[in-house]
Amino acid sequence: MSGDQIKNLEAEFEARIARDEKIEPKDWMPEKYRQTHIRQISQHAHSEIVGMLPEGNWITRAPSLRRKVALLAKVQDEAGHGLYLYSACETLGITRDELYEQLHSGKAKYSSIFNYPTVTWADMGAIGWLVDGAAIINQVPLCNTSFGPYARAMVRVCKEESFHQRQGYEIMLKLCNGTPEQKEMAQDALNRWWWPSLMMLGPTDDMSVHTEQSMKWKLKRKTNDELRQQFIDQTVPQADILGLTIPDPDLKWNEERQSYDFGEINWDEFWQVVKGHGPMNKERMKARVGAWERGEWVRDAAMAHAEKQQERKNKQVV
Amino acid sequence: MKNKNLYNYILGIADNSLILGQRLGELCGHGPSLETDIACTNMSLDLLGQVRSYYQYAAKIAGDGRTEDDIAMLRKEREYFNVLLVEQPNTDFGYTMARQFLFDVYHFLMLTELEKSTDLNLSAIAKKSIKEVSYHKRFSSDWIKRLGDGTEESHSRIQTAINDLWTYTDELFHQTEADKAIVAEGVGVDVTKLKDAYYEEVNAVLEEATLSVPQSKYFQKGGKQGIHTEHMGYLLADLQYMQRTYPNMEW
């Protein structure tokens, strides 16, 4: 293809996106679009899968049968999200095994929030309320993103995430209306998860490397700082209802901006965790890689059985 | 308690599902593939859903203010009546599937009879559960066949798991005094009558899976009397952790 032809295709492609048309897997797309989407969708899928671990940590210890069932169902939803996101990603010409390999080797990233430990039951509430809350803010705009399979997967993901968020908030509410010890557990969870949740919305705009291109392709509709502000403004009143204190002495309503001002985020901590040195990075990877390696003989057996079945069928036909 | 036998009979059924559901719950997020992970979680969810119905009914019968959670989480180890089979650990995916399969075949037969119970509550729970358990049985049987037929390694692993867990199968067909009394009332299932159908079905699947049927005649028992294997205490330590650490609170 000549340079001019490619330019024409690119111009037509950008025009389609500008008209809000969906790009489908078989459509022509610039290589960079393909790679960016593989990176983002797989990162999202990996986050779902790694995200099962911190909550999975409390399934056997959930305090009531109702909570145990709800938590199991939630973690199972995350596995389901991982499944559709990997499938959406595979339409771009990469296999799930290759994507796993990228995760296991450390080449692919996942949301850093999952590198924090879940040390009490209240963390199940805080994760649902804050982490899923921040995820929804990040993800709702993706329901209208330009790549069709991703947009469609996100519609379903967002519905379930908002259910998870309500479930998390309800856990917090129950704790806050419970005994002083329960309320203290809730406050402690908020103290530990608040700042990592703010970091989840990504580095500040001046530090974010992908924003401009992603905006053009509708992979992003608002900047990280805008999303963070939206999250804070939405969450502070919810904390008030719970009677909990946001662990930020600089948090203050700004009448002029009609928004909350907030304190300095510890970006050193953010980068430390992103670079692999958070409290749980090594354990999370060990759990993922371990499950994959321990499962190898099972996957091999399933393949071998399927091949033998096929051979038997072929023989019967002959 | 007015109907202590019925209460104990229900616990005998419900505890099996509780303990197996708890074991499957341990695996959530650690399966050999996303699909098997989702399926095992599903079975855990089904079992725990059944458990809630049974314990809610048992709580009503007990009528002493205890809730489903009190019954599920605040008994002593000696007061759990599940069979030893379901408390065995998730040694590997072979053991997990073998345990599931050896229980599912029994569970399905038992529920089919329980659906005919003159106790309408138990009959309704059985009717709802049987659909779920028929899926469990299909899933675990398929995996027995896949692993048996698959590779040399999978064949040897699943055979080892079946051999090791076989010793816990006979207990499925034992009756406690409470069971006998409830069977006599036409409410309970006479599990002794399920034994032949059970081994026939199990053996057929093993044969199709190219596995050999263990010939050992030595069996273990005790769960139905509350005498468990050494694994049980640790399982309960997890299950009961919150209720024991923070007594009398609502969650």
Side-chain angles (χ1 to χ4, degrees):
Chain A
M1 222 182 285
S2 72
D4 275 354
Q5 277 171 316
I6 291 179
K7 257 195 182 146
N8 281 341
L9 282 170
E10 274 176 357
E12 171 55 19
F13 179 84
E14 299 296 345
R16 286 183 65 192
I17 291 182
R19 288 197 298 271
D20 260 340
E21 281 176 33
K22 291 281 175 267
I23 305 300
E24 295 301 332
K26 286 186 176 158
D27 296 346
W28 183 87
M29 61 184 77
E31 193 48 29
K32 196 170 171 216
Y33 181 92
R34 182 184 301 278
Q35 291 310 329
T36 302
H37 278 76
I38 289 178
R39 184 177 56 79
Q40 176 157 338
I41 300 171
S42 67
Q43 196 168 311
H44 190 167
H46 297 327
S47 302
E48 297 283 356
I49 300 310
V50 178
M52 293 169 75
L53 299 170
E55 289 175 291
N57 183 38
W58 279 88
I59 287 172
T60 60
R61 292 177 296 165
S64 69
L65 290 174
R66 183 171 84 90
R67 293 293 185 202
K68 192 189 286 288
V69 167
L71 184 60
L72 265 165
K74 183 189 177 194
V75 181
Q76 188 190 35
D77 282 348
E78 285 157 11
H81 297 171
L83 206 55
Y84 352 121
L85 289 165
Y86 282 126
S87 303
C89 203
E90 283 184 292
T91 66
L92 290 163
I94 187 161
T95 64
R96 210 203 291 180
D97 282 8
E98 287 171 306
L99 294 169
Y100 278 150
E101 170 52 35
Q102 291 178 355
L103 172 68
H104 297 161
S105 69
K107 187 184 163 213
K109 295 268 180 278
Y110 56 89
S111 183
S112 263
I113 193 88
F114 302 119
N115 291 316
Y116 289 86
T118 50
V119 294
T120 72
W121 169 252
D123 292 9
M124 297 304 100
I127 288 182
W129 173 36
L130 302 172
V131 175
D132 292 328
I136 292 167
I137 286 191
N138 247 332
Q139 291 168 6
V140 164
L142 292 172
C143 298
N144 295 313
T145 190
S146 61
F147 186 53
Y150 193 28
R152 289 188 289 272
M154 289 316 297
V155 171
R156 185 154 169 197
V157 169
C158 283
K159 271 189 201 152
E160 293 179 350
E161 290 294 357
S162 74
F163 178 74
H164 296 164
Q165 196 208 5
R166 281 203 298 276
Q167 190 172 293
Y169 191 71
E170 202 255 320
I171 291 177
M172 294 303 272
L173 202 57
K174 196 85 184 171
L175 292 172
C176 292
N177 291 330
T179 64
E181 203 176 2
Q182 283 174 301
K183 187 156 186 185
E184 195 183 307
M185 194 191 277
Q187 180 66 56
D188 169 65
L190 172 59
N191 294 349
R192 283 179 291 106
W193 290 94
W194 174 253
W195 291 105
S197 299
L198 297 189
M199 293 175 199
M200 227 184 118
L201 294 149
T204 51
D205 295 347
D206 51 332
M207 295 290 286
S208 176
V209 284
H210 302 297
T211 297
E212 201 185 330
Q213 180 69 80
S214 296
M215 288 276 203
K216 211 163 101 193
W217 287 338
K218 298 178 179 170
L219 258 176
K220 236 185 168 144
R221 299 244 158 160
K222 287 181 181 173
T223 70
N224 294 349
D225 287 335
E226 286 168 340
L227 293 170
R228 195 167 4 253
Q229 186 69 61
Q230 185 188 335
F231 174 72
I232 293 169
D233 291 347
Q234 162 189 315
T235 310
V236 173
Q238 295 170 349
D240 291 343
I241 293 172
L242 294 172
L244 296 178
T245 310
I246 302 274
D248 177 359
D250 297 323
L251 188 83
K252 213 171 120 207
W253 177 250
N254 183 322
E255 195 55 42
E256 199 179 314
R257 290 199 306 120
Q258 288 292 301
S259 248
Y260 283 93
D261 293 335
F262 55 96
E264 190 65 36
I265 292 172
N266 181 351
W267 292 110
D268 290 342
E269 177 183 321
F270 173 77
W271 291 113
Q272 178 180 334
V273 182
V274 168
K275 286 176 184 158
H277 307 289
M280 295 297 283
N281 298 58
K282 288 194 176 69
E283 281 82 352
R284 298 290 183 239
M285 266 315 99
K286 222 163 107 185
R288 281 315 319 155
V289 173
W292 185 246
E293 287 175 351
R294 278 192 305 278
E296 192 180 1
W297 70 271
V298 178
R299 297 189 303 274
D300 288 349
M303 288 295 270
H305 172 69
E307 281 164 20
K308 285 182 190 175
Q309 289 282 73
Q310 193 56 46
E311 273 170 36
R312 284 176 207 133
K313 233 189 211 166
N314 293 346
K315 268 186 196 156
Q316 273 175 358
V317 173
V318 174
Chain B
M1 198 187 303
K2 215 172 112 203
N3 208 339
K4 183 96 182 156
N5 281 335
L6 181 58
Y7 174 81
N8 281 334
Y9 178 74
I10 295 170
L11 293 195
I13 297 176
D15 289 353
N16 284 339
S17 294
L18 172 70
I19 302 303
L20 186 55
Q22 174 80 0
R23 274 287 183 235
L24 289 168
E26 291 170 10
L27 294 170
C28 183
H30 304 276
S33 67
L34 265 179
E35 289 80 356
T36 47
D37 206 305
I38 290 172
C40 286
T41 306
N42 231 9
M43 294 194 289
S44 176
L45 274 168
D46 288 342
L47 291 167
L48 293 169
Q50 295 163 17
V51 160
R52 293 192 64 194
S53 308
Y54 286 123
Y55 288 153
Q56 282 163 11
Y57 183 33
K60 219 163 105 188
I61 293 167
D64 53 7
R66 278 186 302 160
T67 64
E68 53 172 308
D69 292 321
D70 296 334
I71 297 177
M73 297 175 176
L74 287 174
R75 278 177 286 154
K76 307 259 175 6
E77 179 173 332
R78 287 287 268 106
E79 294 160 350
Y80 284 84
F81 301 132
N82 57 282
V83 292
L84 302 179
L85 174 66
V86 294
E87 70 199 46
Q88 298 311 305
N90 299 310
T91 307
D92 69 10
F93 188 74
Y95 278 81
T96 301
M97 281 304 107
R99 182 185 64 205
Q100 193 66 38
F101 166 66
L102 293 172
F103 182 71
D104 290 343
V105 174
Y106 159 81
H107 199 190
F108 186 84
L109 290 169
M110 191 280 289
L111 288 172
T112 308
E113 293 304 311
L114 191 63
E115 200 185 337
K116 300 173 198 159
S117 171
T118 53
D119 182 307
L120 296 179
N121 282 307
L122 288 180
S123 166
I125 300 172
K127 191 173 177 185
K128 181 184 161 281
S129 310
I130 205 161
K131 289 185 202 138
E132 298 165 346
V133 172
S134 120
Y135 166 78
H136 302 177
K137 189 172 75 158
R138 199 174 70 211
F139 179 82
S140 62
S141 305
D142 284 351
W143 271 105
I144 298 297
K145 293 175 202 164
R146 232 171 252 141
L147 296 176
D149 180 52
T151 63
E152 216 171 292
E153 182 182 6
S154 70
H155 181 92
S156 134
R157 280 181 184 254
I158 191 66
Q159 183 72 63
T160 306
I162 292 280
N163 292 350
D164 278 2
L165 295 176
W166 196 256
T167 189
Y168 301 112
T169 53
D170 190 62
E171 190 192 12
L172 292 163
F173 310 100
H174 291 201
Q175 280 186 321
T176 62
E177 290 310 312
D179 294 347
K180 284 178 194 162
I182 292 303
V183 171
E185 286 176 29
V187 169
V189 176
D190 183 351
V191 290
T192 59
K193 290 186 178 152
L194 307 177
K195 197 169 174 173
D196 291 346
Y198 174 84
Y199 283 109
E200 199 179 310
E201 190 172 345
V202 165
N203 294 358
V205 172
L206 292 181
E207 197 182 315
E208 201 186 329
T210 70
L211 296 167
S212 39
V213 177
Q215 295 305 315
S216 171
K217 296 282 177 253
Y218 299 104
F219 294 103
Q220 300 301 320
K221 60 176 195 290
K224 288 188 175 182
Q225 281 70 39
I227 304 166
H228 293 277
T229 57
E230 289 184 352
H231 304 296
M232 185 70 170
Y234 296 94
L235 183 148
L236 291 181
D238 273 355
L239 178 72
Q240 302 187 338
Y241 169 69
M242 289 294 291
Q243 290 281 343
R244 295 274 181 218
T245 313
Y246 305 96
N248 304 318
M249 295 184 203
E250 282 186 33
W251 304 95

